[in-house]
Amino acid sequence: MNLKNKIVLITGANSGIGNALAEKLIAENYFVIGTSRNGKIENIKSENLFVVELDLTNQKSIENANLIIRTKFNGIDILVNNAGIAPDLDRTEPDLESLRLTFETNVFGLVSFNETILDLVKKNGKILNISSIMATFNIISKIDSTAYRMSKSALNMYTKTLSARLKDRNIAVNSIHPGWVNTKLSTAGAPLSTESSANGIFKLIEIEMGTGNFWNAESQAKMLW
């Protein structure tokens, strides 16, 4: 393990955008701590990958993952909160079960894990919250996916408040729209590959993003909330 490289922690690195981003970062000489629900990331074989089991809906799992990471690492340069679910995509009417499930992972679990690991993020580090253009208030062209939209809007508010909290530590906190990406969570017709999305996110990681902003990984531009 080459711990001299910058260390990036990615939740949900076993598939989709998180997996493609892990591959991209390892190729660019970063060290990746990747989480998955079963503790496995089978398609990436690298000495610069450390896999941790994490279920964001289980507080004990969050605590165990936190302990394992602290035992192995004394600091993190970049934290990417990527893991999420979208059980109500395309549904036009909300249902309470989807709301509960979605917020359990996308908001409650994410915030719980983030807060337990927060002190490991180094000064001048970055926290990237993978959000969605579907969370914005200025662009609502469809009335679908209420739970998913609400969860990502809540995540954006967390980004804003966290960025203010961590300003004195010079830790940049930003939300990112990864593009309309073809993953198991997406609706039919998504044009962007996970690799293209990961490349866009990587470009943002490499630049000065400021803090408390909402970025579009595809256009490399800031977005309105």
Side-chain angles (χ1 to χ4, degrees):
M1 298 197 314
N2 188 0
L3 298 183
K4 293 181 180 178
N5 296 352
K6 281 191 174 182
I7 297 174
V8 184
L9 170 56
I10 306 173
T11 64
N14 57 306
S15 65
I17 296 167
N19 187 259
L21 183 59
E23 284 193 299
K24 174 64 176 177
L25 288 166
I26 290 169
E28 297 290 344
N29 295 317
Y30 284 75
F31 186 96
V32 172
I33 306 167
T35 79
S36 72
R37 285 195 174 193
N38 64 3
K40 297 178 182 178
I41 300 176
E42 296 179 347
N43 69 311
I44 303 177
K45 308 297 181 185
S46 173
E47 64 175 8
N48 286 333
L49 173 68
F50 182 79
V51 184
V52 180
E53 183 177 336
L54 174 64
D55 179 354
L56 290 178
T57 67
N58 186 311
Q59 188 60 33
K60 186 64 176 177
S61 176
I62 289 172
E63 293 168 2
N64 287 341
N66 178 49
L67 181 61
I68 290 168
I69 293 168
R70 288 178 183 279
T71 301
K72 296 283 186 179
F73 306 93
N74 59 15
I76 298 165
D77 296 286
I78 302 167
L79 170 58
V80 183
N81 287 307
N82 165 75
I85 63 171
D88 75 330
L89 283 187
D90 283 337
R91 296 183 198 166
T92 56
E93 296 182 3
D95 67 273
L96 290 180
E97 185 62 20
S98 288
L99 280 166
R100 290 191 186 99
L101 289 172
T102 305
F103 270 72
E104 186 87 22
T105 297
N106 295 6
V107 181
F108 306 144
L110 183 153
V111 172
S112 178
F113 178 71
N114 191 81
E115 292 294 328
T116 64
I117 210 78
L118 202 54
D119 62 309
L120 279 187
V121 181
K122 298 176 183 176
K123 185 177 180 180
N124 299 318
K126 293 182 178 181
I127 297 174
L128 309 179
N129 294 324
I130 302 302
S131 183
S132 172
I133 197 171
M134 294 171 72
T136 61
F137 287 91
N138 65 308
I139 303 174
I140 305 178
S141 58
K142 298 175 69 178
I143 57 171
D144 64 329
S145 316
T146 302
Y148 181 74
R149 290 175 186 273
M150 288 174 64
S151 73
K152 293 302 185 179
S153 292
L155 175 59
N156 284 354
M157 179 56 75
Y158 181 57
T159 293
K160 291 294 285 186
T161 58
L162 188 62
S163 67
R165 279 171 52 200
L166 298 182
K167 205 165 187 179
D168 291 343
R169 286 178 57 191
N170 292 324
I171 295 175
V173 186
N174 292 282
S175 284
I176 293 180
H177 166 59
W180 187 16
V181 186
N182 186 3
T183 72
K184 63 183 180 181
L185 299 185
S186 63
T187 55
L192 204 62
S193 69
T194 55
E195 292 77 15
S196 295
S197 178
N199 287 338
I201 296 170
F202 175 74
K203 289 177 183 178
L204 290 177
I205 286 173
E206 292 279 279
I207 68 170
E208 175 54 56
M209 300 175 69
T211 191
N213 299 310
F214 193 6
W215 286 86
N216 186 324
E218 193 171 7
S219 66
Q220 297 290 294
K222 293 179 185 177
M223 296 172 56
L224 295 174
W225 297 95

